[in-house]
Amino acid sequence: MKKTLRTGIAISALLATATVAVSAPARTGDGIVNVYSARKQELIEPLLHIFEEQTGISFNLVTGNADELLTRLKLEADATPADVFITVDAGRLHRAKEASVLRQIGDEALREAVPPHLQDKDGYWIGLSKRARVIVYSVERVSEGSLTTYEGLAGPEWNGRICIRSSSNIYNQSLVASMIASDGQEATEAWAAGIVSNMARPPAGGDTDQIKAVSAGECDVAVVNTYYFGRLAGSDDPDNNQIVEKLKIHWPNQADRGTHVNVSGAGITMHAPNPDNALTLLRFLVSPEAQQWYAAVNFEYPTVTESPLSPVLVSFGDFQEDDLNLSLLGSNNRKAVELMDRAGWR
């Protein structure tokens, strides 16, 4: 029987006892694939139903916090029921690789479907959907010409004008990790200190909260992921539309390396009971149908280049993206966290 499970209290109990929860999916079955997903249920389950209809392979789904699911995989070891691990941000995917809970995918057709910089350089995970980390600004208080690069936000003209999430946020950590790769550690630390000096308020809330703060006049610019802006712009709620109607997206670093991008992604677990079915699922998730679904439902960019975009994404315009291999976001993560701490980014 199919089980869609949310981890919460159950996962806390699991971590305390270091045993596999009895509610975990069945481990084996010729027509089964077991998925641990840090993506919300509504952002993965509809695709799994389509996959089941097309392939005849049924699924079991466990959703939960990314770090808790990774800890669960480590604790379960070779007793895990999981075949596929789905999570957000290349930094988290790197942690899964380093924890030895993923195996090399080893499927050339799958790897060729996704640009090389949007997958692990050693083949342990593949990007499924893409988001850009951009600057959102007030058209009333900021001129487009005054914005150029991420680096430019550290300038004195932005004093008291920036909203951004905390340094504990993985999206910011990955942005900083990418800047370490591009600008070097010393320059990036100086930039982070400049960002701290220019904050309009102490970091609080998620990306949507930063967008709302710009709209409300608490700050003039914010650094956010594109899909948060897309959710408000594409909402059926007029109040959400009103929040973004006087805001625009600026694509940073278009004259040099391009705008920082990141992914949601997936890998096959090291001890997958059903590895062939897991591979079939990954192939499906980079198919045109699945890629188009992500663009339409969650306003994320496809990782497969020729996939169509939703009207909301088209309205954002074209941009040049940074083609830095996202594996570096994981390998530079510790440096990024330490650097942000030294800069006083809380």
Side-chain angles (χ1 to χ4, degrees), residues 81-234:
D83 297 303
V84 172
F85 178 51
I86 299 174
T87 192
V88 292
D89 197 278
R92 290 194 177 110
L93 289 160
H94 180 79
R95 290 174 191 171
K97 173 187 174 182
E98 291 293 292
S100 298
V101 300
L102 301 179
R103 65 172 69 186
Q104 287 180 300
I105 296 172
D107 182 78
E108 287 305 312
L110 178 62
R111 296 197 65 188
E112 288 175 5
V114 175
H117 67 290
L118 301 178
Q119 56 183 289
D120 178 57
K121 61 183 179 64
D122 299 318
Y124 283 88
W125 54 263
I126 196 94
L128 301 178
S129 61
K130 182 173 63 179
R131 64 285 302 272
R133 198 142 184 82
V134 297
I135 301 170
V136 167
Y137 66 97
S138 164
V139 297
E140 296 177 337
R141 301 185 301 278
V142 177
S143 64
E144 168 68 16
S146 64
L147 293 165
T148 55
T149 63
Y150 298 109
E151 289 84 350
L153 291 178
E157 66 271 27
W158 297 106
N159 183 256
R161 302 175 70 186
I162 297 174
C163 283
I164 194 166
R165 289 171 80 159
S166 73
S167 62
S168 64
N169 173 246
I170 189 69
Y171 306 146
N172 282 339
Q173 292 173 10
S174 288
L175 172 61
V176 173
S178 76
M179 295 182 70
I180 291 172
S182 299
D183 298 341
Q185 194 164 335
E186 184 176 346
T188 303
E189 185 166 341
W191 171 82
I195 292 295
V196 172
S197 296
N198 289 343
M199 289 180 184
R201 62 180 190 180
D207 279 10
T208 301
D209 297 298
Q210 314 313 312
I211 295 169
K212 289 180 178 179
V214 177
S215 183
E218 296 178 43
C219 44
D220 294 337
V221 298
V223 179
V224 301
N225 281 353
T226 42
Y227 65 91
Y228 289 99
F229 193 88
R231 287 174 182 173
L232 296 172

